[in-house]
Amino acid sequence: MLEHVTRGLYYANVHLLYASAVGVSAWALTSIPLGSATTKYWIWVATSLNFIVPVGAILDALGAPHLTWASPLAIVGDAANRLSRSPAAPMLLLAWLSGSGFLLARLLSRLRAERRGAAAAGPGGPAVEGVLRPRISLPAGIGRVLTDAELDAVLIHERIHVRRRDNLIRLIHELGRCGLWFHPLVWIASSRLAFYRELSCDESVIRRGRGADLIAALGKLAAPDDAFLLEAGIGSFLGRRLARLASPRGRHSYAAANTLLAVAFGALLLTGVFETVAHTACCFIARR
């Protein structure tokens, strides 16, 4: 039993080591003031999934007999061995389970509250509801607040959320965060996903030449005559969004930077997965 615990800890440590390296790379690449928000959004989506989905373990299990060149990381193995035998191990397990349980309960409570609120009073502003079957919900009377052009700009933005299944991506990340709550990069990924999720949808509005209409809509929704729309302008990094919406930059100005960002991140991601496999397949080989 102890041997299985040690192996599990070893794999988790190696996985998080290289997932962390990929996370730091994502932070560095997306901090460069070049490239589109859409490309940066997908970089963070891939970073999140790399933390949550143990791709290395899957590849190890499927191809371990062919990975005889794999070698363990001695320093990580020693740490896993000491931790599994440490008197503090049960307390650490209890702390992890407590943190995970608390965050999961909070997530479920928020989802229930959102569902009850939407059913009772409708959306506070234009929003996408649903996870598997997302739909755009508009508050009653929004046509009195926005012009047709402004409402169309808002709908362009919201349709991107629907098409990409952003609510599902967000939920997957939040579920993964419940298990990886102790890792600061997972929390950074949460904020970066939220940041680029909105900016990337705004880019679709900009490409259609409707940035000014969305600026006007956000201004009205942030301080409307009707109080029920007040929540629509809160959050979403409004100042940064307005600055980008006012920019004349279009799709083609980002093409070269997007390619460089995608290639660089893709290479780093594949390297992280390869290194994880290279240092964990030995565990699967040893068990056969």
PDB file of all heavy atoms in Angstrom, residues 249-272:
ATOM      1  N   ARG A 249      -6.537  48.468 -34.375  1.00  0.00           N
ATOM      2  CA  ARG A 249      -5.803  47.285 -34.803  1.00  0.00           C
ATOM      3  C   ARG A 249      -6.763  46.164 -35.190  1.00  0.00           C
ATOM      4  O   ARG A 249      -7.737  45.907 -34.506  1.00  0.00           O
ATOM      5  CB  ARG A 249      -4.893  46.799 -33.669  1.00  0.00           C
ATOM      6  CG  ARG A 249      -3.621  46.136 -34.168  1.00  0.00           C
ATOM      7  CD  ARG A 249      -2.750  45.673 -33.026  1.00  0.00           C
ATOM      8  NE  ARG A 249      -2.394  46.778 -32.137  1.00  0.00           N
ATOM      9  CZ  ARG A 249      -1.479  46.659 -31.180  1.00  0.00           C
ATOM     10  NH1 ARG A 249      -0.862  45.516 -31.002  1.00  0.00           N
ATOM     11  NH2 ARG A 249      -1.203  47.675 -30.409  1.00  0.00           N
ATOM     12  N   GLY A 250      -6.457  45.465 -36.245  1.00  0.00           N
ATOM     13  CA  GLY A 250      -7.330  44.400 -36.735  1.00  0.00           C
ATOM     14  C   GLY A 250      -6.673  43.042 -36.705  1.00  0.00           C
ATOM     15  O   GLY A 250      -5.619  42.846 -36.100  1.00  0.00           O
ATOM     16  N   ARG A 251      -7.293  42.091 -37.392  1.00  0.00           N
ATOM     17  CA  ARG A 251      -6.848  40.703 -37.367  1.00  0.00           C
ATOM     18  C   ARG A 251      -5.421  40.547 -37.893  1.00  0.00           C
ATOM     19  O   ARG A 251      -4.597  39.861 -37.298  1.00  0.00           O
ATOM     20  CB  ARG A 251      -7.806  39.866 -38.227  1.00  0.00           C
ATOM     21  CG  ARG A 251      -7.465  38.399 -38.269  1.00  0.00           C
ATOM     22  CD  ARG A 251      -8.135  37.713 -39.448  1.00  0.00           C
ATOM     23  NE  ARG A 251      -9.554  37.906 -39.465  1.00  0.00           N
ATOM     24  CZ  ARG A 251     -10.451  37.007 -39.066  1.00  0.00           C
ATOM     25  NH1 ARG A 251     -10.043  35.857 -38.614  1.00  0.00           N
ATOM     26  NH2 ARG A 251     -11.731  37.265 -39.116  1.00  0.00           N
ATOM     27  N   HIS A 252      -5.088  41.186 -39.020  1.00  0.00           N
ATOM     28  CA  HIS A 252      -3.820  40.916 -39.691  1.00  0.00           C
ATOM     29  C   HIS A 252      -2.629  41.475 -38.929  1.00  0.00           C
ATOM     30  O   HIS A 252      -1.514  40.975 -39.075  1.00  0.00           O
ATOM     31  CB  HIS A 252      -3.860  41.475 -41.110  1.00  0.00           C
ATOM     32  CG  HIS A 252      -4.950  40.875 -41.952  1.00  0.00           C
ATOM     33  ND1 HIS A 252      -4.954  39.537 -42.297  1.00  0.00           N
ATOM     34  CD2 HIS A 252      -6.081  41.402 -42.481  1.00  0.00           C
ATOM     35  CE1 HIS A 252      -6.036  39.271 -43.024  1.00  0.00           C
ATOM     36  NE2 HIS A 252      -6.732  40.380 -43.138  1.00  0.00           N
ATOM     37  N   SER A 253      -2.850  42.523 -38.108  1.00  0.00           N
ATOM     38  CA  SER A 253      -1.724  43.102 -37.382  1.00  0.00           C
ATOM     39  C   SER A 253      -1.191  42.149 -36.317  1.00  0.00           C
ATOM     40  O   SER A 253      -0.097  42.321 -35.811  1.00  0.00           O
ATOM     41  CB  SER A 253      -2.139  44.424 -36.730  1.00  0.00           C
ATOM     42  OG  SER A 253      -3.187  44.205 -35.803  1.00  0.00           O
ATOM     43  N   TYR A 254      -1.971  41.127 -35.958  1.00  0.00           N
ATOM     44  CA  TYR A 254      -1.554  40.178 -34.941  1.00  0.00           C
ATOM     45  C   TYR A 254      -1.004  38.883 -35.532  1.00  0.00           C
ATOM     46  O   TYR A 254      -0.518  38.030 -34.790  1.00  0.00           O
ATOM     47  CB  TYR A 254      -2.749  39.808 -34.054  1.00  0.00           C
ATOM     48  CG  TYR A 254      -3.228  40.909 -33.137  1.00  0.00           C
ATOM     49  CD1 TYR A 254      -4.570  41.299 -33.139  1.00  0.00           C
ATOM     50  CD2 TYR A 254      -2.356  41.527 -32.250  1.00  0.00           C
ATOM     51  CE1 TYR A 254      -5.017  42.289 -32.279  1.00  0.00           C
ATOM     52  CE2 TYR A 254      -2.800  42.521 -31.394  1.00  0.00           C
ATOM     53  CZ  TYR A 254      -4.132  42.895 -31.411  1.00  0.00           C
ATOM     54  OH  TYR A 254      -4.575  43.873 -30.564  1.00  0.00           O
ATOM     55  N   ALA A 255      -1.096  38.703 -36.835  1.00  0.00           N
ATOM     56  CA  ALA A 255      -0.826  37.388 -37.426  1.00  0.00           C
ATOM     57  C   ALA A 255       0.561  36.858 -37.089  1.00  0.00           C
ATOM     58  O   ALA A 255       0.704  35.714 -36.627  1.00  0.00           O
ATOM     59  CB  ALA A 255      -1.020  37.455 -38.942  1.00  0.00           C
ATOM     60  N   ALA A 256       1.605  37.644 -37.309  1.00  0.00           N
ATOM     61  CA  ALA A 256       2.967  37.171 -37.073  1.00  0.00           C
ATOM     62  C   ALA A 256       3.194  36.878 -35.590  1.00  0.00           C
ATOM     63  O   ALA A 256       3.763  35.843 -35.224  1.00  0.00           O
ATOM     64  CB  ALA A 256       3.975  38.203 -37.570  1.00  0.00           C
ATOM     65  N   ALA A 257       2.733  37.795 -34.731  1.00  0.00           N
ATOM     66  CA  ALA A 257       2.922  37.602 -33.291  1.00  0.00           C
ATOM     67  C   ALA A 257       2.152  36.380 -32.804  1.00  0.00           C
ATOM     68  O   ALA A 257       2.648  35.622 -31.956  1.00  0.00           O
ATOM     69  CB  ALA A 257       2.480  38.854 -32.534  1.00  0.00           C
ATOM     70  N   ASN A 258       0.952  36.184 -33.328  1.00  0.00           N
ATOM     71  CA  ASN A 258       0.159  35.018 -32.927  1.00  0.00           C
ATOM     72  C   ASN A 258       0.866  33.720 -33.288  1.00  0.00           C
ATOM     73  O   ASN A 258       0.877  32.758 -32.506  1.00  0.00           O
ATOM     74  CB  ASN A 258      -1.207  35.054 -33.611  1.00  0.00           C
ATOM     75  CG  ASN A 258      -2.139  36.064 -32.980  1.00  0.00           C
ATOM     76  OD1 ASN A 258      -1.919  36.511 -31.856  1.00  0.00           O
ATOM     77  ND2 ASN A 258      -3.174  36.444 -33.701  1.00  0.00           N
ATOM     78  N   THR A 259       1.443  33.693 -34.484  1.00  0.00           N
ATOM     79  CA  THR A 259       2.154  32.491 -34.927  1.00  0.00           C
ATOM     80  C   THR A 259       3.343  32.196 -34.020  1.00  0.00           C
ATOM     81  O   THR A 259       3.559  31.053 -33.598  1.00  0.00           O
ATOM     82  CB  THR A 259       2.635  32.662 -36.377  1.00  0.00           C
ATOM     83  OG1 THR A 259       1.500  32.882 -37.230  1.00  0.00           O
ATOM     84  CG2 THR A 259       3.384  31.430 -36.850  1.00  0.00           C
ATOM     85  N   LEU A 260       4.104  33.236 -33.702  1.00  0.00           N
ATOM     86  CA  LEU A 260       5.260  33.058 -32.827  1.00  0.00           C
ATOM     87  C   LEU A 260       4.846  32.592 -31.434  1.00  0.00           C
ATOM     88  O   LEU A 260       5.468  31.681 -30.858  1.00  0.00           O
ATOM     89  CB  LEU A 260       6.045  34.367 -32.731  1.00  0.00           C
ATOM     90  CG  LEU A 260       6.810  34.780 -33.991  1.00  0.00           C
ATOM     91  CD1 LEU A 260       7.413  36.170 -33.821  1.00  0.00           C
ATOM     92  CD2 LEU A 260       7.908  33.771 -34.311  1.00  0.00           C
ATOM     93  N   LEU A 261       3.791  33.203 -30.899  1.00  0.00           N
ATOM     94  CA  LEU A 261       3.314  32.808 -29.573  1.00  0.00           C
ATOM     95  C   LEU A 261       2.844  31.354 -29.569  1.00  0.00           C
ATOM     96  O   LEU A 261       3.166  30.584 -28.663  1.00  0.00           O
ATOM     97  CB  LEU A 261       2.168  33.724 -29.132  1.00  0.00           C
ATOM     98  CG  LEU A 261       2.535  35.132 -28.668  1.00  0.00           C
ATOM     99  CD1 LEU A 261       1.264  35.936 -28.387  1.00  0.00           C
ATOM    100  CD2 LEU A 261       3.407  35.088 -27.427  1.00  0.00           C
ATOM    101  N   ALA A 262       2.062  30.992 -30.593  1.00  0.00           N
ATOM    102  CA  ALA A 262       1.517  29.637 -30.659  1.00  0.00           C
ATOM    103  C   ALA A 262       2.623  28.600 -30.811  1.00  0.00           C
ATOM    104  O   ALA A 262       2.610  27.549 -30.139  1.00  0.00           O
ATOM    105  CB  ALA A 262       0.526  29.528 -31.816  1.00  0.00           C
ATOM    106  N   VAL A 263       3.594  28.868 -31.685  1.00  0.00           N
ATOM    107  CA  VAL A 263       4.689  27.922 -31.910  1.00  0.00           C
ATOM    108  C   VAL A 263       5.543  27.791 -30.647  1.00  0.00           C
ATOM    109  O   VAL A 263       5.900  26.678 -30.224  1.00  0.00           O
ATOM    110  CB  VAL A 263       5.550  28.364 -33.108  1.00  0.00           C
ATOM    111  CG1 VAL A 263       6.827  27.537 -33.184  1.00  0.00           C
ATOM    112  CG2 VAL A 263       4.758  28.231 -34.404  1.00  0.00           C
ATOM    113  N   ALA A 264       5.866  28.940 -30.029  1.00  0.00           N
ATOM    114  CA  ALA A 264       6.705  28.902 -28.826  1.00  0.00           C
ATOM    115  C   ALA A 264       6.001  28.156 -27.697  1.00  0.00           C
ATOM    116  O   ALA A 264       6.598  27.284 -27.041  1.00  0.00           O
ATOM    117  CB  ALA A 264       7.048  30.328 -28.385  1.00  0.00           C
ATOM    118  N   PHE A 265       4.733  28.462 -27.485  1.00  0.00           N
ATOM    119  CA  PHE A 265       4.024  27.787 -26.396  1.00  0.00           C
ATOM    120  C   PHE A 265       3.823  26.298 -26.712  1.00  0.00           C
ATOM    121  O   PHE A 265       3.967  25.452 -25.822  1.00  0.00           O
ATOM    122  CB  PHE A 265       2.671  28.443 -26.134  1.00  0.00           C
ATOM    123  CG  PHE A 265       1.890  27.740 -25.054  1.00  0.00           C
ATOM    124  CD1 PHE A 265       2.238  27.899 -23.728  1.00  0.00           C
ATOM    125  CD2 PHE A 265       0.836  26.888 -25.368  1.00  0.00           C
ATOM    126  CE1 PHE A 265       1.550  27.238 -22.723  1.00  0.00           C
ATOM    127  CE2 PHE A 265       0.145  26.219 -24.372  1.00  0.00           C
ATOM    128  CZ  PHE A 265       0.503  26.399 -23.038  1.00  0.00           C
ATOM    129  N   GLY A 266       3.485  25.989 -27.955  1.00  0.00           N
ATOM    130  CA  GLY A 266       3.302  24.597 -28.332  1.00  0.00           C
ATOM    131  C   GLY A 266       4.556  23.782 -28.091  1.00  0.00           C
ATOM    132  O   GLY A 266       4.491  22.648 -27.582  1.00  0.00           O
ATOM    133  N   ALA A 267       5.713  24.357 -28.423  1.00  0.00           N
ATOM    134  CA  ALA A 267       6.982  23.651 -28.205  1.00  0.00           C
ATOM    135  C   ALA A 267       7.232  23.434 -26.713  1.00  0.00           C
ATOM    136  O   ALA A 267       7.664  22.357 -26.286  1.00  0.00           O
ATOM    137  CB  ALA A 267       8.125  24.441 -28.825  1.00  0.00           C
ATOM    138  N   LEU A 268       6.946  24.453 -25.912  1.00  0.00           N
ATOM    139  CA  LEU A 268       7.155  24.337 -24.467  1.00  0.00           C
ATOM    140  C   LEU A 268       6.186  23.337 -23.835  1.00  0.00           C
ATOM    141  O   LEU A 268       6.558  22.567 -22.945  1.00  0.00           O
ATOM    142  CB  LEU A 268       6.993  25.715 -23.819  1.00  0.00           C
ATOM    143  CG  LEU A 268       8.096  26.724 -24.166  1.00  0.00           C
ATOM    144  CD1 LEU A 268       7.674  28.133 -23.769  1.00  0.00           C
ATOM    145  CD2 LEU A 268       9.402  26.345 -23.474  1.00  0.00           C
ATOM    146  N   LEU A 269       4.943  23.339 -24.318  1.00  0.00           N
ATOM    147  CA  LEU A 269       3.953  22.401 -23.798  1.00  0.00           C
ATOM    148  C   LEU A 269       4.348  20.961 -24.111  1.00  0.00           C
ATOM    149  O   LEU A 269       4.304  20.077 -23.237  1.00  0.00           O
ATOM    150  CB  LEU A 269       2.586  22.720 -24.389  1.00  0.00           C
ATOM    151  CG  LEU A 269       1.427  21.798 -23.997  1.00  0.00           C
ATOM    152  CD1 LEU A 269       1.194  21.838 -22.492  1.00  0.00           C
ATOM    153  CD2 LEU A 269       0.160  22.181 -24.746  1.00  0.00           C
ATOM    154  N   LEU A 270       4.747  20.717 -25.358  1.00  0.00           N
ATOM    155  CA  LEU A 270       5.160  19.366 -25.747  1.00  0.00           C
ATOM    156  C   LEU A 270       6.404  18.926 -24.977  1.00  0.00           C
ATOM    157  O   LEU A 270       6.535  17.757 -24.604  1.00  0.00           O
ATOM    158  CB  LEU A 270       5.413  19.311 -27.251  1.00  0.00           C
ATOM    159  CG  LEU A 270       4.169  19.406 -28.138  1.00  0.00           C
ATOM    160  CD1 LEU A 270       4.559  19.462 -29.609  1.00  0.00           C
ATOM    161  CD2 LEU A 270       3.235  18.225 -27.884  1.00  0.00           C
ATOM    162  N   THR A 271       7.313  19.864 -24.748  1.00  0.00           N
ATOM    163  CA  THR A 271       8.506  19.543 -23.961  1.00  0.00           C
ATOM    164  C   THR A 271       8.122  19.141 -22.543  1.00  0.00           C
ATOM    165  O   THR A 271       8.664  18.173 -21.985  1.00  0.00           O
ATOM    166  CB  THR A 271       9.466  20.747 -23.925  1.00  0.00           C
ATOM    167  OG1 THR A 271       9.875  21.073 -25.262  1.00  0.00           O
ATOM    168  CG2 THR A 271      10.691  20.439 -23.074  1.00  0.00           C
ATOM    169  N   GLY A 272       7.177  19.884 -21.951  1.00  0.00           N
ATOM    170  CA  GLY A 272       6.727  19.555 -20.607  1.00  0.00           C
ATOM    171  C   GLY A 272       6.092  18.175 -20.537  1.00  0.00           C
ATOM    172  O   GLY A 272       6.360  17.402 -19.607  1.00  0.00           O
TER     173      GLY A 272
END
